[in-house]
């Protein structure tokens, strides 16, 4: 046992075993969800059809109020909470065992559903079974913990001790389910592509590297599924999507976690205009289904997700907020120095365009916090190695990003399908020596394009960030069940304030 196990609870555990009672029985109890009973209970004045019948419920017990011959306590399962009533005259043979009970134990209770004299819905127990003895006491005041990280480290406590936390993850599950149904209704096929990649590609990011012993080769945890999904478009599947876990060896912040969930989809005979429409339609649909309307609250502000969303050109925003044309290299470098951005050594085309985009992000992104989501469209071609150029102005690519509350949520473009041009851009990326660019040309992907990929539009949505917006959570950690954290030394981790070993 660890230091969390309370001596008084361990003594109760030993007493149960000595009496021949298994504190961790192998069989559970088939029970009715508490919410279902509550929904059909009626009231003391107008009782529902289940009142007076025998029911079975299971869940984690809360604070026990022991009045000698009568004990009351709340019992909570995933669906809700209900009071249980333990009476000495109904549980005479078991009564002394009530002293083994502690807050946090998992119980199974069978008994008559009814009301107290004060009208509170209660299961009057005829049988009580400890299904799992909790030897670690629950926290007294979870909200009062000064170390926020402890909630993330012990999510298994946070989910039931902190009201509303579980609801966020129920909503996240619904978001994914709704998204799948939305896409399937439009003819998209859900697929699975590799997580281990021989070449880190499909996005610009530092990868995690691992080694496959049997092959004697280094592999990379997926930074994006894009290139494999587009191979499937070449293969004729035409409309595909994947909800993928991606990995990027980058910093941690309220917006970033090293592993995260992306939705990526690709549609043949489409372009970024189709992706624009699909994105705003999906966002409005999710808002209505999850919140009951199109206006959502996020970080103290209201945002209306009703389609259509405003479209703003990258170049226009750069001119407005930076104060110069994005092709004016001397002015852009001066702005970078003014903002304290590092000027890449060695210069060159790739270095300039990285710097230009750094200036854009520094000057513009925080301004994208209007009352509506906004599409930033037509990005400079040199920073879009996988996107088609705009036929009317090849300096710009048919690409957009979606921002809500100054935070990027999605990225999409008309997919480049010219194999020669794609190979040229890959070679250019490798030559740039950008530490976040692929280290070699993905020859197999170029070969796939040589077989012919039809015109296609692609879209990637950050599920974690979208979930933040739709559940009004400030940090990405609040929508990840187990976010990545620095592992503390044992003596560094703060103790969880307990309710006391014998507290009920």
């Amino acid at each position: 046992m660890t230091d969390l196990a309370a001596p008084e609870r361990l003594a109760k555990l030993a007493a149960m075993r000595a009496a021949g009672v298994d504190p961790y029985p192998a069989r559970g109890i088939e029970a009715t969800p508490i919410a279902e009973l509550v929904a059909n209970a009626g009231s003391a004045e107008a009782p529902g059809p289940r009142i007076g019948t025998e029911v079975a419920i299971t869940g984690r017990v809360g604070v026990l109020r022991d009045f000698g011959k009568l004990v009351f306590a709340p019992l909570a399962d995933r669906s809700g909470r209900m009071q249980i009533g333990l009476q000495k005259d109904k549980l005479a043979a078991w009564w002394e065992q009530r002293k083994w009970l502690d807050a946090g134990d998992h119980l199974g209770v069978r008994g008559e559903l009814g009301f107290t004299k004060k009208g509170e819905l209660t299961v009057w127990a005829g049988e009580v079974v400890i299904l799992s003895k909790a030897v670690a006491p629950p926290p007294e005041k979870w909200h009062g913990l000064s170390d926020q990280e402890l909630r993330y480290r012990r999510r298994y406590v946070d989910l039931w001790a902190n009201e509303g936390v579980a609801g966020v993850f129920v909503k996240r599950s619904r978001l994914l389910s709704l998204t799948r149904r939305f896409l399937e209704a439009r003819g998209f096929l859900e697929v699975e592509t590799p997580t281990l990649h021989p070449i880190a590609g499909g996005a610009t990011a530092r990868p995690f590297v691992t080694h496959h012993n049997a092959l004697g080769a280094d592999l990379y945890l997926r930074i994006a599924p894009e290139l494999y999904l587009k191979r499937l478009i070449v293969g004729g599947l035409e409309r595909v999507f994947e909800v993928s876990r991606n990995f990027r060896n980058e910093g941690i912040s309220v917006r970033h976690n090293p592993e995260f969930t992306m939705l990526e989809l690709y549609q043949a005979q489409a372009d970024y205009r189709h992706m624009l429409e699909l994105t705003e339609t999906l966002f409005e649909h999710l808002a209505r289904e999850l919140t009951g309307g199109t206006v959502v609250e996020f970080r103290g502000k209201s945002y209306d997700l009703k389609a259509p969303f405003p479209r703003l050109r990258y170049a226009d925003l750069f001119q407005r907020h930076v104060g110069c044309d994005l092709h004016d290299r001397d002015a852009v470098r001066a702005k970078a120095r003014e903002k304290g951005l590092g000027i890449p050594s060695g210069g060159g085309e790739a270095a300039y365009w990285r710097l230009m985009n750094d200036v854009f992000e520094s000057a513009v992104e925080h301004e994208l916090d209007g009352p509506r989501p906004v599409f930033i469209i037509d990005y400079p071609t040199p920073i879009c190695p996988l996107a088609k150029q705009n036929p009317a102005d090849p300096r710009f690519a048919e690409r957009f990003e979606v921002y809500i509350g100054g935070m990027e949520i999605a990225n999409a473009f008309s997919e480049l399908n010219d194999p020669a041009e794609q190979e040229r851009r890959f070679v250019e990326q490798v030559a740039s020596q950008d530490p976040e660019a692929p280290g070699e040309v993905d020859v197999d992907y170029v070969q796939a394009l040589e077989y012919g990929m039809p015109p296609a539009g692609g879209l990637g949505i950050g599920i974690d960030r979208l979930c933040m917006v739709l559940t009004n959570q400030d940090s990405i950690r609040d929508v990840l069940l187990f976010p990545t954290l620095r592992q503390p030394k044992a003596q560094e981790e703060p103790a969880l304030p307990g309710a006391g070993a014998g507290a009920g």
Side-chain angles (χ1 to χ4, degrees):
M1 294 290 184
T2 71
D3 292 341
L4 286 176
E8 296 88 346
R9 291 179 177 236
L10 291 175
K12 294 179 182 182
L13 187 73
M16 291 177 67
R17 285 176 168 151
V21 177
D22 187 352
Y24 306 103
R27 302 287 179 266
I29 290 176
E30 193 170 329
T32 302
I34 286 174
E36 183 180 322
L37 295 176
V38 172
N40 295 287
S43 64
E45 294 76 21
R50 297 296 296 271
I51 300 301
T53 65
E54 183 171 288
V55 299
I57 61 173
T58 60
R60 192 183 295 273
V61 70
V63 175
L64 293 138
R65 293 172 289 143
D66 194 332
F67 299 103
K69 294 184 179 181
L70 182 62
V71 176
F72 287 114
L75 197 72
D77 67 6
R78 189 181 75 172
S79 70
R81 182 185 299 264
M82 182 183 291
Q83 179 171 267
I84 57 172
L86 315 181
Q87 299 167 294
K88 182 177 181 179
D89 59 348
K90 287 188 176 182
L91 298 164
W94 176 87
W95 193 245
E96 284 304 308
Q97 295 185 19
R98 81 190 192 285
K99 296 178 181 178
W100 295 341
L101 297 181
D102 286 303
D105 291 349
H106 281 272
L107 302 184
V109 177
R110 290 188 179 93
E112 183 180 311
L113 186 63
F115 292 97
T116 64
K117 292 179 180 179
K118 293 184 178 181
E120 183 168 356
L121 186 64
T122 302
V123 174
W124 298 104
E127 180 185 3
V128 179
V129 180
I130 295 180
L131 299 172
S132 180
K133 180 65 187 167
V135 295
E140 287 178 335
K141 292 183 178 179
W142 193 261
H143 286 284
L145 288 178
S146 58
D147 185 355
Q148 181 76 1
E149 284 199 0
L150 192 54
R151 289 185 50 225
Y152 306 136
R153 295 189 190 282
R154 298 192 188 154
R155 185 71 86 187
Y156 43 84
V157 178
D158 187 33
L159 284 165
W160 53 266
N162 196 354
E163 188 175 353
V165 171
V168 170
F169 294 101
V170 170
K171 240 179 197 181
R172 180 188 172 106
S173 179
R174 283 197 65 214
L175 183 156
L176 288 169
S177 178
L178 288 164
T179 300
R180 284 184 164 100
R181 292 203 295 269
F182 176 92
L183 293 174
E184 288 165 354
R186 286 160 175 76
F188 283 85
L189 176 71
E190 183 170 10
V191 297
E192 295 175 300
T193 62
T195 298
L196 293 174
H197 289 187
I199 299 172
T204 303
R206 292 179 183 268
F208 287 95
V209 187
T210 188
H211 186 78
H212 191 283
N213 293 330
L215 294 176
D218 285 343
L219 296 171
Y220 303 91
L221 288 180
R222 165 173 60 199
I223 60 174
E226 176 168 344
L227 300 185
Y228 281 97
L229 290 171
K230 289 195 285 193
R231 284 173 169 95
L232 299 181
I233 298 297
V234 173
L237 294 187
E238 295 190 346
R239 297 189 183 202
V240 294
F241 77 93
E242 182 171 13
V243 178
S244 67
R245 201 71 166 173
N246 296 347
F247 306 84
R248 298 184 183 179
N249 199 349
E250 299 172 342
I252 295 175
S253 71
V254 295
R255 299 183 183 187
H256 298 93
N257 194 69
E259 60 174 310
F260 59 97
T261 302
M262 286 284 293
L263 164 71
E264 287 212 18
L265 63 90
Y266 294 87
Q267 178 179 341
Q269 310 307 330
D271 57 28
Y272 81 145
R273 296 171 301 174
H274 296 88
M275 297 298 105
L276 282 161
E277 182 180 356
L278 187 148
T279 302
E280 61 192 3
T281 304
L282 173 61
F283 282 18
E284 178 178 344
H285 172 70
L286 292 174
R288 289 187 185 279
E289 291 293 323
L290 293 172
T291 71
T294 62
V295 178
V296 300
E297 297 296 321
F298 177 55
R299 293 179 175 168
K301 295 184 179 180
S302 296
Y303 299 92
D304 191 348
L305 273 58
K306 182 175 175 56
F309 304 159
R311 279 82 159 145
L312 302 173
R313 293 187 71 249
Y314 184 106
D316 295 340
L317 287 168
F318 195 97
Q319 180 74 55
R320 183 187 313 163
H321 295 288
V322 179
C324 65
D325 187 274
L326 59 86
H327 296 95
D328 186 340
R329 301 193 175 203
D330 290 338
V332 169
R333 290 191 179 99
K335 288 293 181 180
R337 293 189 186 94
E338 184 182 307
K339 291 180 174 295
L341 300 175
I343 307 296
S345 60
E349 284 296 302
Y352 171 75
W353 290 107
R354 288 201 304 274
L355 179 66
M356 182 281 308
N357 196 50
D358 287 344
V359 172
F360 177 88
E361 290 178 353
S362 175
V364 178
E365 284 193 352
H366 65 277
E367 300 287 345
L368 305 175
D369 190 20
R372 309 283 308 285
V374 60
F375 287 116
I376 308 306
I377 64 172
D378 300 338
Y379 278 60
T381 296
I383 63 171
C384 308
L386 296 163
K388 268 187 176 294
Q389 294 168 293
N390 188 318
D393 188 347
R395 297 178 304 165
F396 297 96
E398 293 192 339
R399 172 186 172 185
F400 70 78
E401 290 186 355
V402 185
Y403 283 81
I404 301 177
M407 180 170 67
E408 179 199 344
I409 305 292
N411 183 26
F413 29 85
S414 302
E415 302 298 332
L416 179 60
N417 61 347
D418 179 337
E421 174 63 11
Q422 185 64 83
E423 183 178 35
R424 186 192 70 77
R425 294 193 197 180
F426 279 163
V427 169
E428 194 174 76
Q429 273 192 300
V430 173
S432 74
Q433 298 184 333
D434 180 351
E436 295 187 348
E440 61 181 289
V441 172
D442 191 336
V443 174
D444 182 78
Y445 179 69
V446 175
Q447 290 175 338
L449 294 184
E450 288 176 343
Y451 283 98
M453 184 175 85
L459 167 67
I461 296 174
I463 292 296
D464 307 315
R465 291 183 181 182
L466 181 58
C467 188
M468 286 170 61
V469 172
L470 292 174
T471 60
N472 193 18
Q473 300 299 308
D474 288 345
S475 170
I476 196 170
R477 293 181 175 186
D478 293 316
V479 298
L480 297 173
L481 281 168
F482 299 102
T484 304
L485 303 169
R486 179 182 65 86
Q487 292 302 304
K489 296 178 181 179
Q491 64 269 26
E492 291 180 345
E493 187 166 350
L496 186 68

